[in-house]
Amino acid sequence: MFTTRPTLQGTFGMVSSTHWLASQSAMAVLEDGGNAYDAAVAGAFVLHVVEPHLNGPAGEVPILLAPAGGEVRVLCGQGVAPAGATVAHYRGLGLDLVPGTGPLAAAVPGAFDAWMLLLRDHGTKSLGDVLKYAIGYAEHGHAPVENVGATVEAVRELFETEWTSSAEVYLPGGRSPRPGELLRNPALAATWRRLLAESAGAGGAGGREAEIEAARQVWRTGFVAEALVRQAARPTLDTSGERHTGTLTAADLAAWSASYEAPATYDWNGWTVCKAGAWSQGPALLQQLALLPAELPAYGSADYVHLLVEGCKLAMADREAWYGDAAEVPLGELLAAGYNADRRRLIGDKASYEVRPGSPGGRAPRLSTHACVAVADDLGFSPMGAGEPTVARGPASFGPGEPEVGANGVTRGDTCHLDVVDRWGNMVAATPSGGWLQSNPVVPELGFPLGTRLQMTWLEEGLPNSLTPGRRPRTTLTPSIALRDGVPVLAFGTPGGDQQDQWQLHFLLAVALRARVRGGLDLQGAIDAPNWHNDSFPGSFYPRGMRPGSVTVESRMPAETVEELRRRGHDVTVGDPWSEGRLCAVARDPETGILLAAANPRGMQGYAVGR
């Protein structure tokens, strides 16, 4: 079948990411003798430089890793709410939602420490070996993709009048970054050079592990921590229209560490799918699999799309009622056969316009009072804006009904993704995000901003995702690893906020149900297939709205399928032909050892490389 690109095949190593420079930097580490984990860390730090509107070092990252011959593990790089981040504190400021931007929305930064643990425990290279690619691009420059400049231009007034430290980096000479001109971030390069210098003395007899540990301490208690705390204490204009200081303290930074845990898993048709736990939305993919009937409708038909959309609504309603780090999540019951058989009977011939969480074990579900608010277009909701809506406004734009800046009243952040498999069979899938340039001011001493993940929590007590000190906000970030007969075969994921586990389900089913190519999995065909998403559930990002009954499809979907979906009551928006999904994937055939990779052509910046 025709695809935009071939599914790559080889035996040495494969990388797929959302930016070609990250993919090739990771591949350079493999070529230099590094393993998949060394390569992933190098690629991740390059993503901080070349996709600063999509992720940063003070953001967060869940990482799934499958060591050759070992068990799949989750490495949690999602930081927790600071000790001072209580519902009472935010309510006392007159807020009923956590702002979408500014230091009040900042959790303890998680990404850097997670990458350091991955390198220390599973890598082979020194810290300098993996950071040199990011330092080079930050110091000497890279040609930015168009969306970097478009994002900066959307928040130009804010940068020039309020977030002036951001203007120093992203408005050089008063101009937004432009394709074909080099964009530099000398402050970020200087941060990494200083971190390496302060960590180098710890190497000695302790070797690379001691050096990495020293770097972790510099981040958590040294000059990096000091600068982050100073930034959190600066009054900053945010989406509330007011200037607020954050709650992050030195004690918060010093106390937190990334950590390992077992994945949540579900077995379906010979596949075992591994996800992060219910502090992420990852189990929503598992629930969607559990809701599938034994016999599926014809792939791509209106019956097929309708079934997946309606199953997604049920899974995401359960996500809203039951997922979070602030409560015990009844995940076993949510994935149980009997529970899902009952839930499956709720899927009728017509589109549902309701949020219908279940009652696992007879428990009564509870939703936030904001969780069922439909957000109209004039409040910044766009069915075409699939991704993570990170909002930032200029001072002139504040007022009722004007929550965001941009061509359609909104600036949308998003996320990155990175997959690697090496010749030994080690595999990693990671979804870095947060710390976007448009979500918080650049920390002037460091060259990157704080994150805003606390906007995903509720300012109501007693909910699984209530803002709670020491607890993780429920993240949308959700990489995947899939096994066959207990052997890791496939690592995949996508940017896209609340849409991530919709697009990943569609991809996985396409891989599982469609023909193979050249003797291997048709990864590129599954990525290229016409895609869709729905927003019929409470959104995770400020202003936390939804659009009941909505389905957004690519115009490549057959007209008769679109018409049948509308006949069934779906509110269908037909988007551009290549607008849905940002998937990356790598795979390994355990019988032959052949490695495969593919990347999303949408947006023209994701690339797979390998040999």
Side-chain angles (χ1 to χ4, degrees), residues 106-313:
V108 177
F112 178 86
D113 199 60
W115 291 119
M116 291 301 98
L117 280 190
L118 184 68
L119 184 66
R120 184 196 72 183
D121 298 341
H122 300 277
T124 64
K125 293 290 188 179
S126 71
L127 185 55
D129 285 339
V130 296
L131 278 181
K132 65 183 180 183
Y133 305 93
I135 291 172
Y137 287 123
E139 195 165 61
H140 303 297
H142 65 96
V145 295
E146 291 182 0
N147 281 342
V148 174
T151 301
V152 173
E153 192 60 34
V155 291
R156 169 189 284 275
E157 182 186 2
L158 181 74
F159 281 14
E160 290 177 335
T161 60
E162 294 281 343
W163 296 7
T164 54
S165 60
S166 298
E168 291 177 9
V169 176
Y170 291 110
L171 288 171
R175 290 174 36 177
S176 298
R178 299 185 182 188
E181 297 181 2
L182 292 177
L183 173 64
R184 297 176 175 85
N185 189 341
L188 179 59
T191 294
W192 296 145
R193 288 197 181 280
R194 181 176 174 184
L195 180 129
L196 287 172
E198 294 191 10
S199 306
R208 56 179 295 279
E209 290 85 359
E211 182 185 30
I212 295 167
E213 275 301 297
R216 295 179 70 207
Q217 290 306 310
V218 170
W219 176 277
R220 293 158 68 181
T221 63
F223 79 93
V224 176
E226 292 167 359
L228 293 173
V229 171
R230 281 194 298 272
Q231 183 63 42
R234 292 184 176 114
T236 301
L237 189 67
D238 61 36
T239 55
S240 72
E242 303 291 335
R243 292 176 180 83
H244 291 116
T245 57
T247 60
L248 184 69
T249 67
D252 296 317
L253 282 161
W256 186 82
S257 171
S259 58
Y260 295 96
E261 58 188 55
T265 64
Y266 187 77
D267 295 330
W268 178 82
N269 277 15
W271 294 85
T272 299
V273 183
C274 302
K275 303 290 284 186
W279 52 270
S280 76
Q281 72 169 335
L285 174 57
L286 308 183
Q287 283 197 253
Q288 290 177 83
L289 288 171
L291 284 162
L292 294 176
E295 296 294 328
L296 293 177
Y299 176 86
S301 66
D303 287 342
Y304 180 85
V305 176
H306 174 79
L307 174 70
L308 297 192
V309 168
E310 294 303 299
C312 174
K313 293 175 185 178

Side-chain angles (χ1 to χ4, degrees), residues 19-67:
H19 196 290
W20 61 84
L21 292 179
S23 295
Q24 188 51 46
S25 297
M27 192 67 205
V29 173
L30 294 180
E31 296 284 3
D32 194 41
N35 64 20
Y37 310 112
D38 298 313
V41 176
F45 278 87
V46 170
L47 287 173
H48 296 159
V49 179
V50 301
E51 294 191 322
H53 58 312
L54 306 181
N55 79 136
E60 43 275 324
V61 59
I63 304 169
L64 266 65
L65 56 146

Side-chain angles (χ1 to χ4, degrees), residues 351-427:
S352 169
Y353 278 60
E354 301 176 79
V355 178
R356 299 180 290 177
S359 301
R363 301 170 179 84
R366 180 187 162 198
L367 299 174
S368 164
T369 54
H370 282 274
C372 299
V373 178
V375 174
D377 285 339
D378 60 356
L379 293 179
F381 183 94
S382 169
M384 302 310 301
E388 301 191 350
T390 306
V391 289
R393 299 184 288 180
S397 71
F398 287 99
E402 297 181 40
E404 292 100 18
V405 161
N408 66 342
V410 63
T411 65
R412 285 186 178 264
D414 209 328
T415 297
C416 308
H417 189 78
L418 175 70
D419 299 310
V420 188
V421 61
D422 63 27
R423 62 189 184 274
W424 301 287
N426 300 303
M427 191 175 289

Side-chain angles (χ1 to χ4, degrees), residues 550-610:
S550 70
V551 180
T552 303
V553 305
E554 291 181 331
S555 61
R556 294 182 296 130
M557 184 173 283
E560 57 271 21
T561 301
V562 173
E563 185 56 35
E564 176 60 18
L565 291 172
R566 286 175 171 154
R567 190 189 69 78
R568 294 184 181 208
H570 296 279
D571 180 9
V572 181
T573 297
V574 178
D576 293 336
W578 295 93
S579 55
E580 290 285 315
R582 318 278 190 271
L583 283 143
C584 300
V586 300
R588 180 180 184 272
D589 186 326
E591 295 183 3
T592 65
I594 291 175
L595 310 178
L596 306 98
N600 170 52
R602 300 163 179 89
M604 296 189 294
Q605 65 186 70
Y607 272 88
V609 296

